[in-house]
Amino acid sequence: MDLVPALDEPLKKVLGPATAKVMAEHLGLHTVGDLLHHYPRRYEERGQLTQLADLPMDEHVTVVAQVADARLHSFASARAPRGKGQRLEVTITDGSGRIQLVFFGNGVHKPHKELLPGTRAMFSGKVSVFNRRLQLAHPAYELLKGDSEETVDTWAGALIPIYPATAKLESWKIGKAIQTVLPSAQEAVDPLPDSLRAGRGLVPLPEALLKIHRPHTKADIADARDRLKWDEAFVLQVALARHRHADTQLRAVPRRPLPDGLLAAFDDLLPFTLTEGQRKVSGEIFDDLATAHPMHRLLQGEVGSGKTMVALRAMLAVVDAGGQAAMLAPTEVLAQQHHRSIVEMMGDLAEGGMLGGTEHATKVVLLTGSMGAAARRRALLDLATGEAGVVIGTHALIEDKVQFHDLGLVVVDEQHRFGVEQRDALRGKGKQPPHLLVMTATPIPRTVAMTVFGDLETSVLDQLPAGRSPIASHVVPAADKPHFLARAWERVREEVGNGHQAYVVCPRIGDEDEDPKKRKSPEDEAEKRPPLAVLDIADQLAAGPLRDLRVEVLHGRMPPDDKDAVMRRFAAGETDVLVATTVIEVGVNVPNATVMVIMDADRFGVSQLHQLRGRVGRGSAPGLCLLVTEMPEAGPSRQRLNAVAATLDGFELSRIDLEQRREGDVLGQAQSGVRSSLRVLAVIDDEEIIAEAREEAAAVVAADPELTRLPGLRTALEALLDEEREQYLEKG
């Protein structure tokens, strides 16, 4: 069905080419419908003045304030040598603070006439500093004449909508453009089924659009937001429900383990009992594997909760049933680590076809891009003949020449590190679609799992296996208290003296040219110091506070054989301190390592710090994580580090992480490379709406998968799922 013509009308026809061009280039708005869905960020009350006291530096702001005084100065300059230059300085106030507006040259005449003391207006411009005072230079402004007919029409009474704006297009100009297209809102087709809308007491869509743009009361805003949040949650969940439904229509080979086969033999070998959580999650996976359509399951687990064990048992169940299982790891270090630990855990059961292999044994093969030609040929042959039941590899598994005999299960470790196309290519190597298990050690809040991973069923491992030790975490303020950093190196020496090992993590390798454009935050800019580097820090430590200890480096640009050799030496206890980049973030398992020092910890995200910290405390001795930073105590970076130090709960940290990032990252660029569709829905705050929308969507799709009886919903779905997003969901 075509989009509703009135809402599909190009803005060029309605607003003129100049305005339409700015809206398209700077705000991504192309049609009347796009503009109607560009909602106000907040509202100003006519009687309430904006807080000038905490204006952000270097940002484009819109404020409502009153002129306190205005002064015209003359001055001499190169352009006006006889003192004919003019500068108008206007001070505005809102009760909380004051700021100066500055106008120069011919630009002074209009504001000099209009901005008289007592005048109220909306001002828009970029906040800068001159003579240590905040100012807005040449701001755009709109007078607020409370009794004028035009102002009442334009701003609809008491509440002034403030829109997400740009330097090229102020909030009130967007407001006037919306005033022009607002009558078209009456023709908006409602995507919500009548029964759902009525059952939840939600206002119709045309009314919601009117109330969000032209509210008369705060209750109008609440009504509109409640309704529009439901639209976003429901349409998205319908898209995901349709994909889940389509997956149930695909055929897959059911894979059931043999009662006395490879899996049973492996379980008999285990020197420990599985946790309650591992048994429960394994049960969910085995139930999925036994069905005739592909499993799509997300396995989330805290760092060290035993996800690899659960995945290995699923892989062995598939081998039992005559299939092959592939595990895709994001780095060669991790692929080699998984291969080593799986072969160790399986013992004789990993020696299929070899002398000493037991009756149920299979072959466990490693395939990475850097393998020698002979080893690679052997591995490819084992996969093609079915000799290898289990293969662990990097993206090398995806290459065209890799053929499987009967691929039954794909396990993807650390899902967020793979492109959609890579996962899709591996899934395409089965004769029928293989079952899919996605693992992540980055805890994902439930609502994010329901949106970003909404087409996957979710299992959570939140219990740590017996024998895991607690990890103490502390922030080390290197600039404020240098003696704390000296003490950190003493602690490393103490741990090594007790027979343990340590990691030191840095954000940068140190053999690259520093590109000033790559600095990540204003705080980086402020201190003008590139991030600390592995090669520099390793040299400093070996010559200074850690001299006489065995210090080695590990980073992503080392040749693969060198990386593997370094990891083997560290795992064998031949290295005391490993200075590394985040290449050790995921999956590296050295139980004897008890302390980690993270340099420039403020340069890492919350979830990344939690991941890194999970590399220590993996044995019987307690772990210690020291977060070194030079950031000032009051800044947001320190607050983030304090939050990490305060809790080991990854789910709590992932909420903090999400609250600090822009909401759009959740669904938009971070996941699919396209602009986020969420405008009023907040995945953390609106958990209840998302959960209810998921249930409603599942019921609607079960009853009418093609949505033939709901044309409005189909229209909204087409608008949400442009071609790029549709492909992202399909490949999942």
Side-chain angles (χ1 to χ4, degrees):
M1 176 179 165
D2 290 329
L3 288 171
V4 181
L7 299 192
D8 207 20
E9 187 84 28
L11 288 174
K12 191 158 64 173
K13 282 191 179 177
V14 186
L15 303 174
T19 305
K21 186 168 184 258
V22 175
M23 286 194 168
E25 286 176 6
H26 295 273
L27 297 170
L29 307 176
H30 303 277
T31 65
V32 168
D34 291 345
L35 183 54
L36 285 173
H37 288 291
H38 186 71
Y39 308 134
R41 177 180 285 148
R42 59 190 171 85
Y43 301 84
E44 288 296 345
E45 290 183 61
R46 187 55 47 83
Q48 176 199 357
L49 293 165
T50 316
Q51 294 289 303
L52 282 178
D54 33 65
L55 284 179
M57 272 298 297
D58 283 336
E59 280 195 29
H60 201 82
V61 298
T62 299
V63 297
V64 178
Q66 189 163 322
V67 176
D69 63 57
R71 293 183 186 151
L72 191 62
H73 301 278
S74 298
F75 62 92
S77 70
R79 284 187 182 174
R82 297 188 188 151
K84 295 276 181 71
Q86 289 193 306
R87 181 176 76 246
L88 177 65
E89 293 176 357
V90 179
T91 305
I92 58 171
T93 178
D94 67 350
S96 75
R98 298 160 83 83
I99 189 170
Q100 195 169 67
L101 318 178
V102 186
F103 302 87
F104 291 101
N106 294 333
V108 304
H109 304 306
K110 185 167 179 275
H112 188 222
K113 276 191 289 197
E114 294 182 337
L115 297 180
L116 305 172
T119 305
R120 302 196 36 180
M122 296 174 74
F123 301 93
S124 184
K126 194 173 180 184
V127 183
S128 58
V129 171
F130 181 71
N131 277 347
R132 295 198 290 186
R133 288 171 64 189
L134 290 181
Q135 71 169 26
L136 295 178
H138 282 281
Y141 63 88
E142 176 87 355
L143 300 180
L144 296 176
K145 311 182 188 92
D147 47 45
S148 111
E149 203 57 43
E150 184 204 346
T151 307
V152 172
D153 285 348
T154 309
W155 304 111
L159 292 160
I160 304 167
I162 306 292
Y163 289 93
T166 73
K168 302 268 184 196
L169 202 65
E170 292 86 8
S171 170
W172 57 82
K173 287 184 181 166
I174 296 171
K176 284 181 172 173
I178 283 171
Q179 189 72 13
T180 306
V181 301
L182 207 50
S184 303
Q186 295 303 334
E187 297 188 46
V189 176
D190 206 316
L192 296 189
D194 291 343
S195 57
L196 188 158
R197 192 170 57 71
R200 296 186 178 274
L202 300 169
V203 300
L205 180 57
E207 186 181 330
L209 290 170
L210 287 171
K211 284 183 168 177
I212 196 98
H213 291 298
R214 293 293 170 264
H216 292 284
T217 63
K218 287 182 179 174
D220 284 352
I221 300 168
D223 284 351
R225 288 179 70 82
D226 287 350
R227 165 57 214 250
L228 295 168
K229 280 181 180 186
W230 254 97
D231 278 17
E232 289 182 3
F234 181 69
V235 174
L236 178 64
Q237 291 301 333
V238 166
L240 295 166
R242 288 183 77 193
H243 280 278
R244 287 197 301 275
H245 181 269
D247 287 340
T248 63
Q249 308 307 301
L250 294 172
R251 310 314 297 157
V253 180
R255 311 280 180 173
R256 294 183 183 85
L258 301 172
D260 55 354
L262 177 60
L263 178 62
F266 174 74
D267 284 349
D268 290 343
L269 277 181
L270 287 179
F272 52 82
T273 54
L274 298 173
T275 65
E276 182 69 29
Q278 285 174 317
R279 279 199 298 274
K280 174 175 162 286
V281 170
S282 289
E284 292 169 350
I285 291 170
F286 292 152
D287 287 349
D288 284 358
L289 290 174
T291 60
H293 57 81
M295 166 174 81
H296 286 113
R297 189 165 282 279
L298 170 69
L299 172 57
Q300 300 187 57
E302 278 288 12
V303 178
S305 57
K307 292 181 300 302
T308 308
M309 175 59 68
V310 169
L312 177 56
R313 293 183 75 238
M315 292 163 85
L316 298 181
V318 169
V319 175
D320 253 356
Q324 292 169 291
M327 179 184 269
L328 191 59
T331 64
E332 292 210 354
V333 167
L334 189 50
Q336 287 160 341
Q337 173 98 19
H338 275 320
H339 181 254
R340 229 176 0 253
S341 62
I342 284 173
V343 168
E344 252 169 55
M345 283 193 276
M346 288 178 65
D348 297 348
L349 294 173
E351 294 175 2
M354 292 185 267
L355 281 173
T358 63
E359 177 198 352
H360 300 295
T362 188
K363 209 178 239 190
V364 179
V365 167
L366 176 69
L367 187 67
T368 65
S370 65
M371 286 170 73
R376 189 179 177 77
R377 264 199 308 275
R378 230 177 7 255
L380 290 173
L381 187 63
D382 286 341
L383 290 184
T385 60
E387 187 84 13
V390 175
V391 58
I392 293 123
T394 55
H395 55 271
L397 283 174
I398 295 162
E399 291 169 10
D400 290 344
K401 61 181 73 160
V402 179
Q403 300 296 323
F404 289 85
H405 177 65
D406 180 13
L407 182 60
L409 170 67
V410 174
V411 178
V412 179
D413 194 16
E414 287 309 318
Q415 139 103 7
H416 60 281
R417 297 186 162 218
F418 287 100
V420 170
E421 287 73 18
Q422 291 172 307
R423 296 195 301 274
D424 193 46
L426 188 53
R427 275 161 65 179
K429 289 186 177 291
K431 294 188 178 76
Q432 284 185 295
H435 299 282
L436 175 70
L437 178 65
V438 169
M439 298 198 297
T440 178
T442 306
I444 303 161
R446 176 168 164 259
T447 44
V448 181
M450 285 191 291
T451 47
V452 177
F453 300 107
D455 52 342
L456 300 176
E457 298 300 326
T458 304
S459 296
V460 178
L461 271 178
D462 49 11
Q463 218 181 340
L464 291 185
R468 287 301 300 266
S469 302
I471 305 169
S473 304
H474 303 285
V475 177
V476 177
D480 309 350
K481 298 175 179 170
H483 59 286
F484 275 36
L485 182 58
R487 175 68 187 128
W489 301 127
E490 282 173 24
R491 284 292 290 116
V492 170
R493 295 191 77 94
E494 286 165 15
E495 289 297 313
V496 172
N498 291 331
H500 298 302
Q501 292 160 277
Y503 296 100
V504 177
V505 180
C506 303
R508 200 165 61 95
I509 296 171
D511 59 358
E512 65 280 310
D513 293 328
E514 170 63 9
D515 180 354
K517 288 180 187 161
K518 286 187 182 169
R519 296 218 171 90
K520 291 177 189 163
S521 69
E523 291 171 350
D524 292 358
E525 284 295 333
E527 62 175 7
K528 293 285 186 282
R529 172 172 75 65
L532 293 172
V534 165
L535 300 177
D536 302 340
I537 292 293
D539 289 345
Q540 288 168 25
L541 293 176
L546 303 186
R547 65 180 155 276
D548 310 327
L549 299 187
R550 296 168 298 177
V551 177
E552 288 211 59
V553 300
L554 180 71
H555 59 74
R557 279 210 285 274
M558 290 166 65
D561 288 350
D562 292 1
K563 279 191 279 197
D564 195 37
V566 169
M567 273 317 301
R568 281 177 188 275
R569 285 196 293 274
F570 190 63
E574 295 165 19
T575 304
D576 298 320
V577 180
L578 188 62
V579 184
T581 56
T582 54
V583 72
I584 57 120
E585 175 187 348
V586 176
V588 172
N589 184 24
V590 180
N592 192 46
T594 54
V595 60
M596 174 175 285
V597 182
I598 303 179
M599 307 302 291
D600 276 347
D602 47 274
R603 313 261 178 159
F604 299 98
V606 169
S607 295
Q608 202 173 24
L609 290 170
H610 182 59
Q611 286 282 332
L612 287 165
R613 170 171 62 185
R615 300 304 111 213
V616 295
R618 299 178 80 85
S620 53
L624 173 66
C625 180
L626 301 173
L627 306 167
V628 179
T629 178
E630 293 185 2
M631 286 293 119
E633 193 168 356
S637 297
R638 279 285 282 279
Q639 289 167 11
R640 208 169 63 236
L641 296 181
N642 290 339
V644 174
T647 179
L648 290 172
D649 182 340
F651 286 92
E652 174 58 27
L653 288 173
S654 68
R655 289 184 80 93
I656 292 167
D657 197 19
L658 187 59
E659 282 162 6
Q660 290 181 344
R661 287 190 289 130
R662 288 197 325 279
E663 195 72 60
D665 289 349
V666 175
L667 248 184
Q669 290 118 337
Q671 293 303 330
S672 61
V674 290
R675 199 162 57 92
S676 169
S677 59
L678 301 188
R679 294 182 178 90
V680 284
L681 189 73
V683 289
I684 286 288
D685 300 336
D686 298 321
E687 185 167 336
E688 208 174 295
I689 292 176
I690 293 169
E692 289 174 14
R694 184 179 167 96
E695 279 178 35
E696 294 272 11
V700 164
V701 170
D704 181 8
E706 293 305 311
L707 309 177
T708 45
R709 297 190 293 279
L710 295 166
L713 180 54
R714 287 181 63 181
T715 299
L717 214 51
E718 284 161 17
L720 171 75
L721 296 177
D722 54 25
E723 200 176 325
E724 202 173 350
R725 262 209 185 86
E726 185 72 52
Q727 286 172 357
Y728 167 70
L729 282 176
E730 276 172 10
K731 291 175 179 175

